[in-house]
Amino acid sequence: MSTDRAYDMSSRAEAAQATRRRIIDAAGPMLLREGYHAMSISSLAAAAGVSAQTVYNAIGGKAAVVKAVYDVTLVGDDEPIPMPERPEFKAMSAAPDRDSFLRAYAALCATIYERTGPLLGVLLAQGAGNDVGLQDFVATIEQERRTGNTNVLAALERVHGLPPELDRTRFIDIVWTATAPETYDRFVRRCGWTHAMYAAWLAEALVGSFQSASATTTAHATVTTATPATKE
C-alpha cells in the first residue's frame, strides 16, 4: 500500500469518526429534550448538518443512535475500549481488600449513573411501547449490566478470592438489582437524594450483601459437612 493511499484511508476514517461523533452530539440533547419517540432521523440529520442517509450509514436507525449515545455517555468517549480494559475498572484491582474493592465498584456504578441517569430516565419513563428497536435497546443494556456484574465478581475473585461456598449467581442477582438504573432514578430524582448519598448507600448495600451471602454460605457449609452424632 502506498503512503498516499494509506494517508487517504486514514483521513477518510477520521472524517467518518468525526461525522459519527457530530451525530451523537446532536442526538444526546435532542433525546433529553424531545424523548425517543418524538425524535426522527430526519430531524436528527438536520440538527447534525448531515443527510438522513448519512445517519444511517454512520450509525444506523434510531435505536442504534440511542445505543451509540448511551455508550458514549457511559464511558465519556467514542473509543472502542471494553469497560474491563478502562482505567476506572482496572483501578478496582488496587483495592487492598474485598470490602474496599466493592466500595470502589459502587463508586464506579454511581459515576456511570450520574452520567447516564438523565438519558435513561427519559427513555425508561416513556417506555418501549411497540417499538422493537427500543425494546432491544433496553434488553441489551440489561444484559450488558449483568455481564459487567459478572466481570466484576471474576475480577474480585482474581484479586482477593471468594468464599468457596458463595452462591455466585444469587449474589450477581443482588448486585444486578441494586445497581439498576431505576434504583438510581428513584433515589436521586424521585426521592431527592444527592449523588453522594446514593453512592454511600450503594457501597454499604454491596458490602453488606456480600458479607451476608458469605456468612450464610459458610454457616450452611459448616452444618451440612458436620459429622452426625452417633446414637448409642
Side-chain angles (χ1 to χ4, degrees):
M1 182 182 293
S2 68
T3 303
D4 289 343
R5 185 177 180 185
Y7 176 79
D8 182 59
M9 292 180 64
S10 176
S11 298
R12 289 186 179 184
E14 290 176 2
Q17 184 69 9
T19 298
R20 174 185 170 86
R21 188 55 193 259
R22 187 162 68 251
I23 295 168
I24 292 172
D25 288 345
M30 185 174 290
L31 285 167
L32 293 176
R33 184 175 63 251
E34 302 176 9
Y36 175 86
H37 297 292
M39 186 184 78
S40 67
I41 292 297
S42 59
S43 63
L44 171 59
V50 299
S51 68
Q53 189 59 52
T54 296
V55 175
Y56 287 112
N57 292 343
I59 300 177
K62 195 160 66 168
V65 169
V66 170
K67 184 60 166 65
V69 172
Y70 172 79
D71 288 344
V72 170
T73 305
L74 180 73
V75 299
D77 59 57
D78 196 23
E79 298 299 322
I81 303 174
M83 182 61 77
E85 297 179 16
R86 289 183 173 270
E88 56 266 46
F89 192 99
K90 290 182 176 181
M92 291 188 299
S93 298
D97 52 49
R98 291 172 182 163
D99 287 2
S100 298
F101 184 104
L102 291 171
R103 292 180 191 280
Y105 180 50
L108 173 59
C109 289
T111 298
I112 287 173
Y113 291 132
E114 187 175 34
R115 295 171 181 166
T116 63
L119 175 63
L120 288 177
V122 169
L123 295 175
L124 298 178
Q126 291 186 329
N130 295 322
D131 191 294
V132 176
L134 189 53
Q135 291 172 358
D136 289 345
F137 165 76
V138 173
T140 296
I141 65 172
E142 286 296 273
Q143 183 56 53
E144 287 179 349
R145 285 201 313 107
R146 192 170 185 90
T147 298
N149 299 151
T150 303
N151 289 339
V152 167
L153 191 62
L156 176 59
E157 181 175 25
R158 286 195 302 271
V159 178
H160 298 294
L162 296 176
E165 301 300 324
L166 179 69
D167 187 334
R168 304 181 188 203
T169 299
R170 179 173 177 272
F171 182 67
I172 290 172
D173 289 344
I174 294 171
V175 175
W176 184 67
T177 301
T179 60
E182 294 91 340
T183 304
Y184 181 88
D185 183 71
R186 284 176 180 270
F187 278 135
V188 176
R189 184 179 65 84
R190 298 173 64 178
C191 295
W193 282 29
T194 64
H195 172 76
M197 290 168 62
Y198 167 80
W201 169 83
L202 184 59
E204 294 307 316
L206 295 186
V207 170
S209 296
F210 185 86
Q211 292 176 343
S212 176
S214 299
T216 300
T217 53
T218 300
H220 178 71
T222 300
V223 171
T224 55
T225 57
T227 302
T230 303
K231 292 183 179 181
E232 296 294 339

